[in-house]
Amino acid sequence: MSFFAKLKSRLTRSSSKLGEGLDAIVAEAPAAPEATPEAPASAPEPARPGLIGRLFGQGPAAEPRRVLDDEMLESLEDLLISSDMGVDTALRVTANLAEGRMGKRLSVSEIKALLAAEIARIMEPVARPMPIYPKRPQVVLVVGVNGSGKTTTIGKLASQFRAAGKTVVIAAGDTFRAAAVEQLKVWGERADVPVLTAPEGSDPASLAFDAMTRAEADGADLLLIDTAGRLQNRQDLMEELAKIVRVIRKKDPEAPHNTLLVLDATTGQNALNQVEIFSKIADVSGLVMTKLDGTAKGGVLVALADRFGLPIHAIGVGEQIDDLAPFDPEEFARALVGAEG
Ligand SMILES: Nc1nc2c(ncn2[C@@H]2O[C@H](COP(=O)(O)OP(=O)(O)OP(=O)(O)O)[C@@H](O)[C@H]2O)c(=O)[nH]1
């Protein structure tokens, strides 16, 4: 299966919500005069139906259409907002979609293609893989609230980097959560990557320092550092992260080279607050969004791209190693709206 096919199947909760909403919007068309024969200007050409399809009145020729007017635009805005795209982004997407198309008759598949193109345009500038530097070890600090998928993401990244021939060390920096440490050990074993741990409740900065020493001694390409995600006590967390950074800078003044914020798509609009908070307490350099497979709130990634402009490195669409994929804006946009292709 191509990755697009997989992405599309994993994003069905988001795409069916949008698809059903669009079907309903187009079906709600106010009684219109006989269909105008001319094709809608600058809307994408629907696929040509086969002979059988034409004979039996199926295919795009039979697809219902609705004249794009203010009322329909408003319904489209509401639909996008309900997919967690956020008000500003939803308004922008629909305004761009409407430009030059008011009064045209559009079908659901045309609207999907237009939406996908608009969404991809917003996301294109932020679709950036995590940069890899010649620096050894490249230190990657991974932050995010508990349960956002940090541990799983570190495990997947470690496996993928190993498969690409890189040497990796993991530091299990959430020393307050034995379960997180255990989980990392399992991922480490699977990926054949050493996982440095420290006694429960001990200072994560001291573990980070030891991990730097080990990564340097091993000549490792990458050091991935897990961190705690207790936002309930923001001050403590801020101090903890600042201390980790201070300590690893004793060994490399430029570390960490990346600070990845892991966000859980199922939290919807709350992910926007998390970006704001973590950008204040850590120097976030890029985002990873997990659990896009388990939610109808996938539109939140569009809002994040639009609002913050932070690079989106990867997306998680499942719990297996290869369920973390580089972020491709066009594929994501088409999968999100359920467009063909
Ligand atoms: N469906 C799905 N589940 C995921 C994905 N990423 C992570 N998970 C699951 O989400 C749960 C939480 O992930 P963790 O990696 O433990 O999250 P964490 O941020 O490290 O959380 P703590 O260990 O509690 O700090 C686990 O059950 C993961 O298997 C994803 O992309 N899709």
Side-chain angles (χ1 to χ4, degrees):
M1 184 167 36
S2 73
F3 187 73
F4 177 63
K6 174 170 159 180
L7 186 63
K8 210 173 158 183
S9 76
R10 300 288 165 91
L11 287 187
T12 43
R13 289 191 62 184
S14 291
S15 61
S16 12
K17 182 169 178 189
L18 278 170
E20 283 159 23
L22 288 175
D23 286 341
I25 289 172
V26 171
E28 265 168 24
E34 272 303 286
T36 41
E38 81 276 12
S42 68
E45 272 290 309
R48 294 201 145 271
L51 177 64
I52 303 288
R54 286 202 300 270
L55 280 176
F56 289 94
Q58 292 155 348
E63 219 188 345
R65 292 176 174 274
R66 177 172 172 185
V67 172
L68 185 62
D69 57 10
D70 286 340
E71 199 187 323
M72 179 171 163
L73 262 192
E74 226 169 272
S75 305
L76 281 174
E77 283 161 15
D78 291 344
L79 178 64
L80 296 185
I81 292 167
S82 77
S83 79
D84 273 78
M85 213 175 273
V87 177
D88 294 345
T89 310
L91 292 182
R92 206 143 75 79
V93 168
T94 43
N96 289 346
L97 181 146
E99 211 176 303
R101 294 191 183 90
M102 292 306 271
K104 306 284 181 205
R105 295 167 55 76
L106 298 175
S107 67
V108 168
S109 44
E110 286 166 353
I111 300 170
K112 282 183 180 176
L114 291 167
L115 281 177
E118 278 310 319
I119 291 170
R121 209 154 62 92
I122 290 178
M123 307 200 90
E124 178 64 40
V126 296
R128 299 277 171 269
M130 190 182 90
I132 296 293
Y133 303 109
K135 179 77 202 164
R136 271 187 191 188
Q138 175 169 337
V139 181
V140 182
L141 194 64
V142 182
V143 301
V145 298
N146 284 339
S148 62
K150 287 189 300 291
T151 308
T152 312
T153 300
I154 290 174
K156 290 171 177 171
L157 284 175
S159 306
Q160 293 183 4
F161 283 129
R162 277 294 289 145
K166 305 254 179 225
T167 45
V168 182
V169 171
I170 294 175
D174 187 356
T175 59
F176 286 87
R177 287 201 59 247
V181 174
E182 285 311 311
Q183 210 188 333
L184 268 182
K185 280 193 195 160
V186 172
W187 277 104
E189 269 163 35
R190 254 189 248 168
D192 193 21
V193 165
V195 177
L196 272 80
T197 60
E200 198 170 339
S202 63
D203 184 1
S206 122
L207 172 70
F209 188 83
D210 292 347
M212 266 304 262
T213 311
R214 166 75 183 265
E216 281 176 344
D218 286 4
D221 295 303
L222 287 142
L223 167 62
L224 308 177
I225 304 179
D226 192 13
T227 62
R230 294 176 300 277
L231 262 194
Q232 302 85 318
N233 194 336
R234 205 184 294 182
Q235 192 58 35
D236 278 1
L237 182 59
M238 188 161 22
E239 280 164 19
E240 187 171 310
L241 292 176
K243 189 169 173 195
I244 293 175
V245 169
R246 229 171 25 244
V247 161
I248 53 179
R249 282 192 180 153
K250 286 188 183 161
K251 288 189 157 285
D252 180 351
E254 279 165 17
H257 305 91
N258 314 83
T259 301
L260 301 190
L261 172 59
V262 178
L263 298 163
D264 171 352
T266 63
T267 61
Q269 288 291 293
N270 195 257
L272 296 157
N273 302 335
Q274 289 175 23
V275 176
E276 271 175 6
I277 293 170
F278 274 95
S279 297
K280 284 186 193 135
I281 64 179
D283 194 8
V284 175
S285 62
L287 307 177
V288 173
M289 176 148 271
T290 66
K291 307 188 204 176
L292 277 162
D293 53 317
T295 181
K297 299 177 177 178
V300 68
L301 196 55
V302 190
L304 284 169
D306 198 24
R307 167 100 76 95
F308 298 103
L310 277 166
I312 298 172
H313 297 320
I315 53 174
V317 292
E319 298 185 69
Q320 305 304 314
I321 288 173
D322 57 359
D323 290 335
L324 183 79
F327 176 65
D328 179 314
E330 276 179 24
E331 289 195 338
F332 174 80
R334 278 186 288 134
L336 181 73
V337 303
E340 292 308 317

